Amino acid sequence: MKAVQFDFNIPQYVFSKVTGRLIPSIYWNSRLSCLRYHDQSEPELPNSNWVKIKVKYGGICGSDLNLLFLNDSPATSPFVSFPFTIGHEIVGEIETVGENVTGFQPGDRVAIDPILSCSVRGIEPACSACQKGNYSLCQYKTEGDLSPGLLIGTCRDTGGGWGSHIVAHKSQIFKLPEEVNDLNGVMIEPFSCALHSVLRNPPSEGDTVLVIGGGVIGISVIAAIRALELPCKIVALVKHEFQAQLASDYGADDIIMLRRQSYIEELASSIGGKVLKPVFGPEVIEGGADMIYECVGRKQSINDSLRFARNGGKVILLGLAGIMDGIDWTTVWLNELDVSGSFAYSTEEYKGNRVRTFEIAIDLIRNGKVDLAPMVTHRFPLEKYRDAIDTASNKKNRSAFKVVFEPNVDSLTS
């Protein structure tokens, strides 16, 4: 099968890191980069508790682009195994069912929870996090029956969404009802990231919520809050006009464009803050939002998340921030902010029960609380991976939101 893989090689890494600053396309459009498009064997079932899945859509995630642009922190490198097929946002159709898998059959459409936790790795007894259903916090990401990997799409044994087939453990697959089409299916993974952050950090009635970032996760946070019917004011800080439209479509009450000269005054006014001028340096905000979901992971967005929070407010970091200088942490202690991170998805308290995040996402879509399909703006056959990555990397010029691959469709039939 054809697949787009990432393989770490020091000379190629150094070449891409240096040259890519001047010519960004080097990261995906050069034989000297760490990216490879080539033939490989289809992944095999590790044991009888697994299924093989034919990929219908495989999404391009912001974290995938972070990987391609070599921006990931080295701290994540022990939790991958090279070479791996990229892609963890996956909807597909079951082809082969292991003997110990019940309730599924070939032809079933499924979404995939890509976390490679204890049950997936065959580890018994499971770690304390997995016993509580907090699979994203699994303590054994490098052990068990599989090579190291946080997720499908970072492990060399499982395949990934940027290839025609993957294998998944029976605990990772979620059957899709007829009401959930394939475009909604490929969006379940990123939407579950947003759901997890909101369900673990829900705004209270009457709160002012600031969502920083108009990408997939930022808009999904807005969609999650509205789908869960949490009564609060939502203010969105976005960069592009098409993001502003989506923020409005999914329920933001106020939308502030990230314009260099005017956004600070406009945003402060919207969230009930006051702009103060220090002796030098960036403006200081007095007052602000009760809760802030930071969905970008850049220096400016993190600084904004800290200074636009009210005294005693809460900041949730979803933007996969790595190593960066220039973050002013003064407001964290001065205003006694509660700052927490959010990663992936897990098991949540929902309607009085403990439920997997993916199941909640499917339930909300099936019941018409949210339609995620409009977020998918571009589809590419796998062989046009360079065009797909270029589109996903140039959102403003292409008005691109979610870009997905159709690995089992070639350019002649797409």
Side-chain angles (χ1 to χ4, degrees):
M1 71 173 192
K2 292 288 187 181
V4 179
Q5 291 194 320
F6 186 91
D7 193 9
F8 180 77
N9 175 290
I10 289 179
Q12 291 169 346
Y13 177 90
V14 172
F15 169 80
S16 298
K17 194 75 172 174
V18 173
T19 310
R21 294 175 181 176
L22 301 174
I23 311 172
S25 62
I26 287 292
Y27 291 114
W28 66 83
N29 200 21
S30 170
R31 293 182 179 180
L32 298 177
S33 75
C34 295
L35 201 65
R36 292 285 179 272
Y37 172 64
H38 58 175
D39 284 303
Q40 67 167 75
S41 300
E42 292 182 9
E44 298 181 357
L45 302 185
N47 56 54
S48 57
N49 293 314
W50 290 63
V51 300
K52 180 181 285 189
I53 296 165
K54 182 179 181 180
V55 177
K56 178 64 180 291
Y57 293 125
I60 299 180
C61 176
S63 63
D64 297 327
L65 296 178
N66 217 40
L67 167 74
L68 295 182
F69 284 99
L70 308 181
N71 289 328
D72 281 346
S73 165
T76 63
S77 61
F79 306 110
V80 302
S81 48
F82 303 108
F84 59 83
T85 301
I86 306 170
H88 56 272
E89 300 175 350
I90 303 164
V91 63
E93 183 178 293
I94 293 178
E95 277 197 353
T96 307
V97 179
E99 292 182 0
N100 291 339
V101 179
T102 58
F104 295 91
Q105 60 186 3
D108 284 345
R109 294 185 311 118
V110 291
I112 315 299
D113 179 339
I115 295 284
L116 301 176
S117 57
C118 284
S119 59
V120 178
R121 293 181 169 278
I123 296 174
E124 295 182 355
C127 71
S128 59
C130 287
Q131 289 180 32
K132 297 173 184 176
N134 294 325
Y135 305 111
S136 61
L137 303 179
C138 177
Q139 299 172 27
Y140 300 126
K141 302 178 182 75
T142 63
E143 302 178 29
D145 298 337
L146 298 174
S147 300
L150 286 169
L151 311 161
I152 289 176
T154 65
C155 174
R156 62 174 170 239
D157 301 330
T158 60
W162 297 15
S164 66
H165 291 78
I166 66 162
V167 291
H169 188 265
K170 60 184 179 181
S171 65
Q172 296 178 282
I173 54 178
F174 294 85
K175 191 181 299 185
L176 297 181
E178 291 182 2
E179 299 89 341
V180 181
N181 61 29
D182 289 335
L183 290 180
N184 269 284
V186 76
M187 292 301 300
I188 286 172
E189 192 277 343
F191 183 63
S192 293
C193 291
L195 268 178
H196 176 62
S197 69
V198 172
L199 287 166
R200 294 292 177 97
N201 307 278
S204 300
E205 184 174 355
D207 274 356
T208 294
V209 173
L210 172 59
V211 178
I212 297 179
V216 171
I217 297 301
I219 301 301
S220 292
V221 167
I222 296 170
I225 292 172
R226 293 306 184 218
L228 294 168
E229 300 179 348
L230 301 173
C232 60
K233 176 183 178 180
I234 302 177
V235 179
L237 178 63
V238 304
K239 191 173 183 180
H240 306 304
E241 291 292 343
F242 68 90
Q243 295 174 335
Q245 183 61 56
L246 280 168
S248 176
D249 292 345
Y250 281 98
D253 297 291
D254 198 5
I255 299 160
I256 309 298
M257 300 301 297
L258 187 62
R259 298 185 178 95
R260 183 172 299 178
Q261 300 300 324
S262 62
Y263 87 93
I264 294 173
E265 292 282 355
E266 292 176 8
L267 181 54
S269 175
S270 179
I271 62 177
K274 180 181 179 181
V275 179
L276 305 177
K277 304 292 185 180
V279 290
F280 56 84
E283 294 89 340
V284 174
I285 311 301
E286 185 176 56
D290 300 284
M291 183 165 291
I292 297 181
Y293 297 91
E294 190 284 316
C295 305
V296 181
R298 301 291 178 89
K299 181 174 72 173
Q300 179 179 347
S301 61
I302 293 175
N303 275 323
D304 280 347
S305 71
L306 299 177
R307 65 175 172 160
F308 281 101
R310 67 161 174 81
N311 290 11
K314 186 162 189 177
V315 176
I316 302 96
L317 303 177
L318 292 84
L320 302 184
I323 299 171
M324 59 184 66
D325 296 323
I327 305 298
D328 188 344
W329 296 98
T330 302
T331 53
V332 175
W333 55 262
L334 181 63
N335 296 336
E336 296 192 0
L337 300 182
D338 183 356
V339 180
S340 63
S342 181
F343 172 63
Y345 15 78
S346 198
T347 306
E348 323 292 350
E349 293 290 336
Y350 181 66
K351 296 182 178 180
N353 298 303
R354 294 280 288 168
V355 185
R356 294 280 291 277
T357 321
F358 270 57
E359 293 177 295
I360 300 170
I362 293 170
D363 181 68
L364 291 171
I365 298 168
R366 180 179 58 233
N367 289 313
K369 297 295 185 181
V370 65
D371 180 10
L372 306 172
M375 294 191 194
V376 180
T377 56
H378 293 74
R379 291 179 278 178
F380 289 88
L382 198 61
E383 65 190 72
K384 293 189 176 180
Y385 72 97
R386 291 188 177 96
D387 293 337
I389 295 170
D390 183 64
T391 299
S393 303
N394 293 281
K395 292 180 171 61
K396 179 180 179 180
N397 296 334
R398 310 295 176 83
S399 294
F401 199 69
K402 172 57 67 179
V403 181
V404 301
F405 287 114
E406 296 181 87
N408 287 288
V409 174
D410 60 40
S411 60
L412 297 179
T413 60
S414 62

